Amino acid sequence: MAPSVDPSSRRFARQHVLAGFGLAGQRSLADAHVLVIGAGGLGSAVIPALAAVGLGTLSLVDPDTVDETNLPRQTSHGVADVGRLKVDSAADAAARLAPELQVIRHPVLFSTENATALLDGVDLVIDGSDSIDARYAANDAAAALGIPLVWGSAVGYGAQVGVAWDAHGIDYRDLFPEQPSDDGDSCELTGVLPMVCGVAGALMAAEAVKLLTGIGEPLLGRVAVYDALTGRTREVPYARDPARGAMDVAVGVDSAASGASEPDSEPGSKPSRPRTYSAPELAVALDGANPPALLDVREDWEAAIAELPGSTRIPFGELGARIGELDPSAPVVVYCHLGVRSAHALVFLEQSGFSQASHLAGGIEGWAASVDPGMKRY
């Protein structure tokens, strides 16, 4: 067994002198066990940062092998690592920075079935995967165990980072209560600027260090949003719905995705407006006497490719700050690329009092496929 991390080592001298950090903070890191889900773009920034800062034990979870297309953004891996398990390559990268770091490798997919076992003895979990299933499994398991979850995402030119900690009154389901039916925009489909992964990963590692040492203010109830094209950062605040019950965590099923119908508010009452439109259904509604307004929550560059006429566009990351631009009493249909961001936006709108909000399942891609085949597509 490798020697344990020495928190008093001269290597950490620049951390020891930080106000509020000191040797006590360094000891907290040396005693901590962090599990990182994903050794890809975000993990490649998180893992070396945690190794270098003096973490004691690091568990890595990723079933994938290194592919040549990973290399520009997944910088824990090199050309010679193509074909290797990412957990092995990332562990080697961490060892070069901190040979005494204890690294536990799990070349498996993080899931609801193995979440509790993988988190046994872990103080904090970081989700840098691109799997929505893993994100919700990590959130629910962390909530049950009372440990914090640091999460992040990076796609295109943008990134989001947040902290979920149910023991402190907030978790990922307070932001996105219902798990979408798919992973939404992916790096393979949409692309990603490699540096966005570095920015997001650095922010995630910083949140982990803050939580483990007790310094600063963690991103609880706040999502940090970064736009590389403008260099701007902003925050999206959120809070727990006081009416939320334990079943929200236990079930977490999207009724629209599962095909289950939503109950009427009272027996015998008329059905409410559709919560989800298919593209053909929306086309009919837009041709009707009282068409709904359209809200596009995509980014500028996406709207430049294709958009639905007459849309109001507020990028998803700006929705919290700009919600006052919308009429909460008017029918509105939210749409995005594939229907994932719009599903999240719909939940936010509903929680903000927009009783006539709906979203377009399948997004503008679904519209192009079934309503307007001549529309330019991504």
Side-chain angles (χ1 to χ4, degrees):
M1 179 179 294
S4 61
V5 176
D6 177 8
S8 63
S9 171
R10 183 176 178 274
R11 189 196 317 173
F12 308 119
R14 300 300 181 267
Q15 292 158 211
H16 293 165
V17 297
L18 283 170
F21 196 101
L23 187 57
Q26 201 64 54
R27 287 198 183 101
S28 296
L29 291 176
D31 292 339
H33 181 180
V34 172
L35 181 138
V36 176
I37 306 170
L42 296 177
S44 283
V46 169
I47 292 164
L50 293 181
V53 82
L55 186 72
T57 305
L58 181 63
S59 287
L60 307 179
V61 183
D62 195 316
D64 293 338
T65 56
V66 180
D67 183 83
E68 185 178 13
T69 61
N70 300 151
L71 299 180
R73 67 189 183 280
Q74 300 185 18
T75 52
S76 281
H77 319 296
V79 173
D81 295 313
V82 171
R84 296 184 68 199
L85 284 168
K86 289 183 180 179
V87 292
D88 290 340
S89 180
D92 288 348
R96 286 191 290 272
L97 292 165
E100 70 277 28
L101 172 66
Q102 303 295 316
V103 180
I104 303 169
R105 310 174 194 191
H106 299 285
V108 298
L109 185 69
F110 191 93
S111 67
T112 301
E113 289 71 27
N114 62 18
T116 301
L118 289 172
L119 292 179
D120 183 34
V122 169
D123 300 299
L124 179 146
V125 56
I126 299 177
D127 179 31
S129 71
D130 55 4
S131 166
I132 199 66
D133 289 337
R135 175 71 48 81
Y136 279 83
N139 175 77
D140 295 349
L145 294 169
I147 62 175
L149 162 70
V150 177
W151 60 269
S153 64
V155 67
Y157 297 103
Q160 299 178 3
V161 175
V163 172
W165 199 355
D166 186 73
H168 286 247
I170 204 83
D171 72 8
Y172 193 72
R173 290 187 183 272
D174 293 307
L175 182 63
F176 300 130
E178 299 177 352
Q179 180 174 338
S181 57
D182 59 54
D183 289 324
D185 293 349
S186 66
C187 294
E188 182 178 1
L189 180 65
T190 306
V192 62
L193 186 68
M195 299 75 190
V196 170
C197 296
V199 171
L203 289 172
M204 294 164 71
E207 289 302 308
V209 169
K210 285 157 55 180
L211 288 162
L212 293 170
T213 61
I215 61 171
E217 178 186 356
L219 278 170
L220 282 169
R222 299 176 293 137
V223 180
V225 182
Y226 170 69
D227 179 1
L229 287 179
T230 64
R232 294 190 178 98
T233 58
R234 54 187 179 271
E235 273 190 9
V236 178
Y238 66 101
R240 172 157 293 179
D241 183 349
R244 179 182 167 195
M247 285 298 290
D248 293 322
V249 173
V251 181
V253 175
D254 185 340
S255 60
S258 66
S261 60
E262 297 182 63
D264 295 332
S265 58
E266 295 178 3
S269 66
K270 293 182 179 180
S272 62
R273 80 346 180 185
R275 191 170 183 273
T276 301
Y277 280 97
S278 67
E281 288 170 342
L282 180 58
V284 171
L286 292 174
D287 285 338
N290 298 297
L294 295 172
L295 174 61
D296 181 358
V297 294
R298 298 173 302 150
E299 300 296 323
D300 290 342
W301 67 270
E302 295 177 283
I305 297 172
E307 63 180 343
L308 300 183
S311 300
T312 295
R313 194 180 55 77
I314 301 178
F316 178 72
E318 300 177 17
L319 191 55
R322 297 175 58 187
I323 197 168
E325 300 175 22
L326 305 172
D327 181 357
S329 65
V332 60
V333 179
V334 192
Y335 73 91
C336 63
H337 182 201
L338 296 171
V340 176
R341 278 171 289 176
S342 63
H344 294 330
L346 173 59
V347 171
F348 176 74
L349 290 174
E350 290 176 329
Q351 292 176 342
S352 301
F354 286 71
S355 60
Q356 299 299 310
S358 306
H359 92 110
L360 174 60
I364 202 165
E365 282 290 311
W367 180 274
S370 59
V371 175
D372 188 1
M375 175 180 280
K376 187 176 180 181
R377 300 169 75 170
Y378 292 50

